[in-house]
Amino acid sequence: MSLIPIILCGGVGSRLWPVSRELHPKPFIRLSDGRSLLQKAFLRAASLPDVKEILTVTNRELFFKAEDEFREINTDRIGTSFICEPFGRNTAAAIAAAVSRVAETSGADTLMLVLAADHLVADELAFAKAVDEAAKLADGGKIVTFGIRPETPETGYGYIEADGNTVLRFIEKPPLEKAREYVASEGFYWNSGMFCFTVAAMLREMKQHCPDILDAVSSCMRESRISNGEGWTQVQLDPKTFGAVREDSIDYAVMEKSGNVSVVPCSIGWSDIGSWTAVSELSKPDSHGNRIEGEALLHDVDNCYLMSRDRIIGAVGVENLIVIDTPDALLVAKRERAQEVRHIYAQLKASGHEAHKVHRTVHRPWGTYTVLEEAPGFKIKRIEVKPGASLSLQMHHHRSEHWIVVSGMAKVVNGDREFFVARNESTYIPAGHKHRLENPGVVDLVMIEVQSGEYLGEDDIVRFEDVYGRA
């Protein structure tokens, strides 16, 4: 029986701000070994026996970012497919879409393993053993969840009460006293949010417990567009019909209602990395309990977590702090209040501040751009275009652009002219001119763009042609 892992890759970036943002959520955060949580989830799935394809459900704005992440590590050339949502509708809709797709491409007997893109699993062998046990139960028609043996009285997790593999009940996030009681007792587990089932079993449960979600998603799938690229397939969900899908979690929609759920208790070194405190615990402390990523100079500092990739941090006479430094935002918080970072994110979003959504370096299908400086009337960017990639044929109403190539070779369309711009050469794009930038070479194209005009917003763009389907 074939197994298709499903990676759910979403989130808004609120709990690990300022490193995570709406368009750079937690799955894309790189840990100290240089790999992102999403890459770790992919490799974890790819290491299982007989996996020929991995399906990822993500926001359509994150598709090319996720595809880049996989290309970097997918040395075994495992098939990758994507379901791209126009907006989030929670896990019930995401799983319904994945089940509908796999039913069509692989059949009702196919085993599916649902994984979250932003979880960490330290013990890969124990994970593989738990999946093997879950697959046997799922082969018998069960919907299987993974219960993590609790080590501490966590109040941020839901719990499962079980007798062996039989689920007795699901429990909401408990108060501290209840959590302590659960840890002291046998038969209580953290709800990991990982599942294993056959296509036929989940379709049967959804038809019984949330038929409106399944029907609405099925209608959306029929209206959705399928495209293929080098080693990948993408299903881009139709926004109009997907908007009719009711928002609900798979726990509420199916798991808590079903009488056909089993659990596999396991100890796999699992964490959902739900706060900066959890991230800090991945680093080794020094003799004063401080954990440092980057460069920091400390004097009389205890039990702090300091992260900075670009600048030196100096700290004097402080304790129990989290300090996260990024090029455009700085977070300072007490360790015990790390979960409250989401309130800062909420304020930024409510005010429309860009820092909730993007970093200064923004990923695009063709590469990246970094805002170096911005003031009324001008903006300076560093633009990097991948080999063989091109920006859309486009035009701006309100700004002109001056391009200076600093590395590589650029192929430029400017009005009715097409020409090449080499290193140390430049060209000028007047407002209102159709233009396109392309990297025809085999190394990255790096250039500086100076924009000038009365309005420099990213929405001042009219696309005429685009290889990424954005025109």
Side-chain angles (χ1 to χ4, degrees):
M1 186 175 291
S2 61
L3 173 68
I4 297 182
I6 312 299
I7 300 177
L8 304 183
C9 178
V12 296
S14 62
R15 291 191 293 174
L16 295 181
W17 184 88
V19 174
S20 62
R21 310 283 172 103
E22 185 175 302
L23 294 183
H24 185 79
K26 185 169 60 166
F28 297 94
I29 290 179
R30 301 252 168 167
L31 301 184
S32 57
D33 63 1
R35 284 180 174 159
S36 68
L37 289 167
L38 176 59
Q39 288 178 324
K40 289 176 179 292
F42 183 93
L43 292 171
R44 190 180 313 131
S47 68
L48 297 169
D50 302 321
V51 171
K52 302 293 191 298
E53 176 192 356
I54 295 175
L55 170 61
T56 302
V57 184
T58 191
N59 185 281
R60 65 184 180 189
E61 295 291 333
L62 300 175
F63 163 67
F64 287 101
K65 195 178 178 74
E67 205 266 325
D68 281 345
E69 295 271 307
F70 294 162
R71 189 188 305 113
E72 184 180 313
I73 58 168
N74 188 13
T75 55
D76 293 332
R77 303 300 183 201
I78 290 174
T80 56
S81 53
F82 298 83
I83 295 175
C84 297
E85 300 175 321
F87 35 77
R89 278 292 184 263
N90 215 318
T91 53
I95 291 174
V99 169
S100 298
R101 175 64 180 169
V102 174
E104 182 180 343
T105 60
S106 302
D109 291 335
T110 306
L111 273 174
M112 299 175 65
L113 175 68
V114 176
L115 305 173
D118 57 357
H119 291 177
L120 192 64
V121 172
D123 193 335
E124 300 283 351
L125 290 177
F127 169 74
K129 184 178 178 181
V131 171
D132 183 63
E133 184 180 347
K136 292 173 182 175
L137 290 167
D139 192 26
K142 292 291 187 180
I143 306 293
V144 186
T145 185
F146 294 77
I148 308 300
R149 292 187 176 92
E151 300 170 354
T152 55
E154 290 286 345
T155 59
Y157 300 152
Y159 285 71
I160 300 168
E161 184 180 7
D163 181 7
N165 294 121
T166 302
V167 172
L168 302 178
R169 60 174 173 148
F170 289 88
I171 303 166
E172 295 289 334
K173 297 174 183 177
L176 183 58
E177 285 305 313
K178 276 292 182 184
R180 287 173 176 158
E181 182 182 318
Y182 298 154
V183 173
S185 304
E186 292 187 0
F188 289 87
Y189 307 96
W190 292 334
N191 186 354
S192 70
M194 301 187 298
F195 311 100
C196 186
F197 45 80
T198 63
V199 169
M202 183 53 79
L203 284 174
R204 183 173 59 248
E205 295 296 324
M206 286 191 152
K207 286 176 183 176
Q208 180 178 352
H209 300 296
C210 58
D212 61 320
I213 292 177
L214 182 61
D215 290 346
V217 168
S218 298
S219 297
C220 176
M221 294 291 285
R222 288 192 292 270
E223 299 296 324
S224 298
R225 185 176 65 184
I226 300 175
S227 57
N228 296 287
E230 187 177 346
W232 54 262
T233 299
Q234 177 193 178
V235 180
Q236 194 167 116
L237 297 182
D238 174 65
K240 184 176 180 181
T241 51
F242 194 63
V245 179
R246 175 168 61 87
E247 185 172 358
D248 204 354
S249 71
I250 193 67
D251 289 300
Y252 288 144
V254 174
M255 306 302 289
E256 294 185 9
K257 297 175 181 177
S258 174
N260 190 42
V261 179
S262 293
V263 64
V264 171
C266 52
S267 297
I268 57 176
W270 174 90
S271 171
D272 78 341
I273 314 295
S275 69
W276 280 116
T277 302
V279 174
S280 73
E281 290 169 358
L282 302 177
S283 304
K284 290 184 179 180
D286 63 15
S287 58
H288 291 272
N290 299 306
R291 303 167 195 260
I292 300 167
E293 290 192 40
E295 191 173 2
L297 301 175
L298 311 181
H299 176 72
D300 191 24
V301 174
D302 295 287
N303 198 34
C304 289
Y305 177 57
L306 310 172
M307 175 194 281
S308 177
R309 303 276 163 80
D310 301 299
R311 294 182 289 196
I312 296 174
I313 294 178
V316 178
V318 295
E319 61 183 15
N320 300 320
L321 289 182
I322 291 172
V323 179
I324 310 297
D325 184 41
T326 69
D328 65 340
L330 173 68
L331 171 69
V332 180
K334 287 186 176 180
R335 285 184 65 92
E336 63 269 22
R337 302 185 68 176
Q339 290 282 1
E340 297 177 46
V341 172
R342 65 184 186 276
H343 296 301
I344 303 298
Y345 176 92
Q347 290 179 47
L348 289 168
K349 187 171 184 177
S351 67
H353 198 292
E354 282 281 287
H356 91 277
K357 191 171 186 177
V358 293
H359 287 276
R360 279 189 179 169
T361 296
V362 178
H363 289 259
R364 287 288 184 257
W366 42 261
T368 64
Y369 72 80
T370 302
V371 178
L372 302 177
E373 187 172 352
E374 184 174 7
F378 79 93
K379 182 189 291 186
I380 304 174
K381 289 181 177 180
R382 179 187 188 274
I383 294 177
E384 188 168 318
V385 185
K386 295 181 287 189
S390 66
L391 283 67
S392 58
L393 181 64
Q394 57 186 253
M395 181 267 287
H396 310 295
H397 290 290
H398 303 289
R399 71 174 185 253
S400 59
E401 297 174 345
H402 188 189
W403 296 347
I404 306 102
V405 174
V406 297
S407 179
M409 173 75 73
K411 183 179 179 181
V412 175
V413 172
N414 187 357
D416 57 1
R417 298 175 58 221
E418 184 174 296
F419 52 94
F420 291 93
V421 181
R423 181 181 179 185
N424 292 331
E425 296 180 346
S426 64
T427 189
Y428 174 71
I429 312 293
H433 269 219
K434 284 186 180 180
H435 60 278
R436 189 203 303 270
L437 175 65
E438 180 180 345
N439 180 0
V442 295
V443 298
D444 289 341
L445 164 65
V446 181
M447 51 173 273
I448 301 299
E449 176 183 89
V450 180
Q451 301 178 0
S452 58
E454 70 271 19
Y455 179 72
L456 304 173
E458 294 299 327
D459 56 347
D460 178 22
I461 181 170
V462 179
R463 290 190 176 95
F464 302 98
E465 297 174 8
D466 184 66
V467 297
Y468 310 108
R470 300 172 299 167

